[in-house]
Amino acid sequence: MDNGLAILNKSRNAFCLATRNDPARYLAYKCRMAVPEYDWYFREWLAYFGKKQRDVVSDLEWNKSKVSLMAAGKQPYTREEVNEIAAYLSLRPYELLMHPDDAMALRALRSEAMKVVTQTKRFDDPTEEFEKRDGTHG
């Protein structure tokens, strides 16, 4: 009758399940398996702007260990912290989730697209062009 649930029977199992929440046969449990990693490029952005962690500590008056853990990707970040760091580095908050090279390429693409849009608007309005040539209004 050993269908895998017998491990839960305390009288048959001397191993305490509360410590790992796994059966005794899984002794090779990887303790770091469940450690979260926070996926942002805080450290890369600091390097991009030539800033050090101590600059963030002094300028934003944050705890040194908090900045260190956030840069290492070991501490969760809140929306307020992301907004504060983004404002400090003159970035948009979502850019902290992108590598600096990708974010700057996206900024350049957006800038070029806006140039095309403004040039296109200038040529799309026939009344504006007509008024300039004719000198009449209306």
Side-chain angles (χ1 to χ4, degrees):
M1 180 162 176
D2 189 19
N3 61 0
L5 296 178
I7 193 91
L8 298 176
N9 187 350
K10 287 186 178 185
S11 63
R12 291 190 59 206
N13 184 10
F15 183 73
C16 179
L17 293 177
T19 58
R20 291 191 186 154
N21 206 16
D22 285 333
R25 63 179 175 248
Y26 298 117
L27 290 177
Y29 181 78
K30 302 291 184 201
C31 293
R32 291 189 44 83
M33 186 183 313
V35 174
E37 295 290 327
Y38 299 97
D39 55 346
W40 67 336
Y41 291 92
F42 182 45
R43 179 179 288 161
E44 289 83 355
W45 279 109
L46 290 177
Y48 182 84
F49 288 114
K51 300 235 181 233
K52 303 281 184 197
Q53 291 180 19
R54 69 174 166 251
D55 298 330
V56 177
V57 170
S58 64
D59 294 342
L60 297 181
E61 298 176 355
W62 281 9
N63 186 342
K64 186 191 312 184
S65 64
K66 173 184 176 177
V67 174
S68 176
L69 290 172
M70 288 177 83
K74 294 182 179 180
Q75 173 152 339
Y77 43 85
T78 63
R79 178 180 293 189
E80 292 80 22
E81 293 166 339
V82 169
N83 289 338
E84 193 172 354
I85 292 170
Y88 173 68
L89 296 174
S90 301
L91 297 171
R92 294 180 183 95
Y94 67 86
E95 290 176 328
L96 287 166
L97 300 175
M98 303 170 69
H99 192 274
D101 295 338
D102 296 336
M104 289 302 154
L106 187 60
R107 279 187 177 195
L109 179 66
R110 185 175 191 276
S111 175
E112 291 298 319
M114 292 306 292
K115 287 180 188 175
V116 169
V117 167
T118 56
Q119 289 174 354
T120 305
K121 281 185 180 179
R122 207 173 52 195
F123 294 118
D124 280 349
D125 190 6
T127 59
E128 179 183 326
E129 196 65 32
F130 176 74
E131 290 173 0
K132 285 182 183 175
R133 277 188 280 138
D134 190 27
T136 61
H137 301 287

